[in-house]
Amino acid sequence: MSPQGTAHREGIDSLTGAAGLARALRTHEVDAIVGVRDIMFVRLKQAEDELESSRNQLRALTAHLLSVRDSERVAIARELHDEFGQALTSLQLGLAWLARNVKPAQKPLLTKIGALSDATTSLIRSVKNITVELRPGALDELGLAKTLKSSAREFEGSAGIPCGFRTNTAGATFDRPAAVAVYRIVQAALTNVARHARASNVTVALMKRTYDLVVTVRDDGKGISRKLIDSQNSLGIIGMRERTVALGGTFTLASSRSNGTLLTARIPLSRVVIGPATAA
Amino acid sequence: MTTRGGKRRIAQAGRDTTPAPDTYVFQLFVAGDEPNSALALGNLVRICDAHIAGRYEIHTVDVLKNADAAYKHNVIVTPTVILTRPLPSVTLFGTLRDPAQVLAALRLTGAR
């Protein structure tokens, strides 16, 4: 067929008959459907635009809420550390002074002081753990990659599941709020694995690609159903997705009974890396 | 029904309304001032002016005012344009935004 003939054929196919009608509907080029009794307006594009606008507003609100929550966490961590932590340290010092000054004859008292001192030590440790949980200070001291590596090690210790970590971001400097978001995503993912996956191996990866920072958490557990992934009650998943979207990224969860679950958060480098990194 | 075209035959009431043999006659079914309908009309006029200036008539049918005409021509969506002359007739859907495809579908490719 000549080029003119081909163009003619394409023109007919794309605008006429069932294919033309389907195309016009699909591309929102139709504004009313004429029924036997009624004429129904279709404003699909408009409805889609409104839906998208509504989604964007919701995302902005969620991003704001996450930001507020992070700020409050930092404030609570500071209060806990400065007020509660210091008070407990004073208490422990006081108990130590008491223990030194109790007469040997008052053995029951000494035993009681010892028990109180142990309880105080335990409390100080708890406060420290809560503080770290609320405000990952390690992010400032160690950087994102080393903090995630440390999280993987801690996960291994607490969940008893081997957890590997790999990265190619040595030397990269990350934007602080973005790093916190990535840290929280991995934290939430590992919590889900520990609670639900029944996995025997987990791998966390933080990889710099040409345009994106790709965070993956892969486990070989029993997988997660599509219903649960999409559920409005899966707050952990919603939180991870919203944190990713707030950074202009995409979030996917691929899961099957036989292959476990692969979580992928892909975030534009421009939103998360502010310093140099080794090449991907 | 409103008419638009190079020869204005139908606009001249009381005279012979039969279009000349080489005139292209279109029926464009629209829904009031809905955006896609307006786009389709604009695009069709532009294409006709560029390729068959002075040799076309466009009869616009507003389905909100004249649903019977739509039923009669089996029109199920707007905008729909039917080339009624020359035969065979052709029915096109959508806003006619791609001139090349519209020209091909209306057998107007190369018509100047």
Side-chain angles (χ1 to χ4, degrees):
Chain A
M1 192 180 283
S2 68
Q4 200 175 27
T6 309
H8 180 72
R9 187 72 253 161
E10 283 173 1
I12 291 172
D13 290 346
S14 61
L15 296 177
T16 64
L21 178 60
R23 184 203 55 81
L25 287 165
R26 191 178 62 249
T27 55
H28 311 302
E29 289 184 40
V30 164
D31 43 29
I33 293 175
V34 184
V36 177
R37 291 192 183 139
D38 302 306
I39 291 166
M40 188 176 74
F41 284 95
V42 282
R43 293 190 172 95
L44 295 176
K45 190 75 182 77
Q46 192 181 342
E48 275 185 359
D49 288 348
E50 280 169 8
L51 187 62
E52 187 55 30
S53 162
S54 166
R55 274 189 191 138
N56 286 340
Q57 283 177 358
L58 196 60
R59 277 179 190 146
L61 178 65
T62 309
H64 176 67
L65 287 176
L66 287 171
S67 162
V68 167
R69 195 169 74 172
D70 284 339
S71 303
E72 281 184 348
R73 277 177 162 170
V74 169
I76 294 168
R78 194 185 303 120
E79 289 297 311
L80 267 178
H81 179 268
D82 294 353
E83 301 294 328
F84 207 48
Q86 281 194 10
L88 285 172
T89 305
S90 300
L91 180 62
Q92 194 173 42
L93 288 172
L95 288 168
W97 183 88
L98 272 177
R100 280 196 306 275
N101 290 284
V102 165
K103 291 173 185 169
Q106 296 174 296
K107 200 177 174 186
L109 193 58
L110 205 59
T111 309
K112 192 71 182 170
I113 291 170
L116 285 172
S117 179
D118 288 346
T120 309
T121 304
S122 172
L123 269 174
I124 289 172
R125 199 172 296 127
S126 296
V127 167
K128 191 182 170 191
N129 287 342
I130 293 168
T131 307
V132 169
E133 181 75 15
L134 287 171
R135 184 180 189 277
L139 275 176
D140 296 328
E141 294 154 22
L142 304 175
L144 179 59
K146 285 183 179 170
T147 303
L148 292 183
K149 189 176 180 182
S150 164
S151 293
R153 262 204 312 270
E154 280 170 23
F155 173 82
E156 251 181 23
S158 61
I161 304 169
C163 183
F165 176 74
R166 60 195 175 85
T167 186
N168 66 350
T169 63
T173 314
F174 295 94
D175 171 66
R176 178 71 166 71
V180 171
V182 171
Y183 172 77
R184 296 284 182 216
I185 289 167
V186 172
Q187 208 177 26
L190 290 177
T191 302
N192 279 350
V193 172
R195 281 185 189 162
H196 309 295
R198 290 187 202 157
S200 53
N201 263 297
V202 188
T203 310
V204 176
L206 180 75
M207 306 301 284
K208 180 179 172 282
R209 302 295 183 211
T210 310
Y211 301 109
D212 302 313
L213 181 74
V214 182
V215 186
T216 57
V217 178
R218 181 192 290 276
D219 72 64
D220 60 356
K222 66 185 176 82
I224 175 172
S225 69
R226 174 53 52 187
K227 195 177 164 190
L228 257 180
I229 290 175
D230 296 332
S231 167
Q232 291 185 340
N233 295 324
S234 301
L235 296 180
I237 294 173
I238 291 171
M240 288 188 279
R241 181 177 290 122
E242 291 303 330
R243 282 188 188 278
T244 310
V245 171
L247 290 170
T250 56
F251 177 87
T252 56
L253 261 179
S255 190
S256 74
R257 278 181 188 277
S258 51
N259 294 322
T261 302
L262 171 63
L263 174 155
T264 307
R266 195 176 283 273
I267 301 161
L269 281 182
S270 57
R271 296 290 295 272
V272 64
V273 175
I274 55 173
T278 50
Chain B
M1 187 189 293
T2 57
T3 303
R4 168 164 196 164
K7 291 201 170 180
R8 301 175 188 273
R9 285 178 173 274
I10 294 174
Q12 292 173 3
R15 297 201 180 176
D16 175 21
T17 57
T18 308
D22 65 339
T23 300
Y24 283 77
V25 181
F26 300 95
Q27 277 196 306
L28 176 64
F29 292 85
V30 298
D33 296 327
E34 286 295 296
N36 287 323
S37 294
L39 270 176
L41 176 61
N43 286 334
L44 184 59
V45 168
R46 217 172 356 262
I47 289 167
C48 290
D49 281 344
H51 294 267
I52 46 173
R55 292 189 290 127
Y56 74 90
E57 291 175 2
I58 299 172
H59 305 264
T60 307
V61 182
D62 185 348
V63 300
L64 303 180
K65 294 175 183 163
N66 190 359
D68 289 344
Y71 303 147
K72 187 180 155 195
H73 288 87
N74 297 317
V75 169
I76 51 173
V77 298
T78 64
T80 290
V81 63
I82 303 174
L83 170 67
T84 56
R85 285 189 62 176
L87 293 172
S89 74
V90 180
T91 303
L92 279 64
F93 304 104
T95 57
L96 314 177
R97 64 181 172 181
D98 185 338
Q101 289 183 335
V102 175
L103 288 171
L106 295 177
R107 308 186 298 273
L108 283 171
T109 308
R112 286 270 179 186

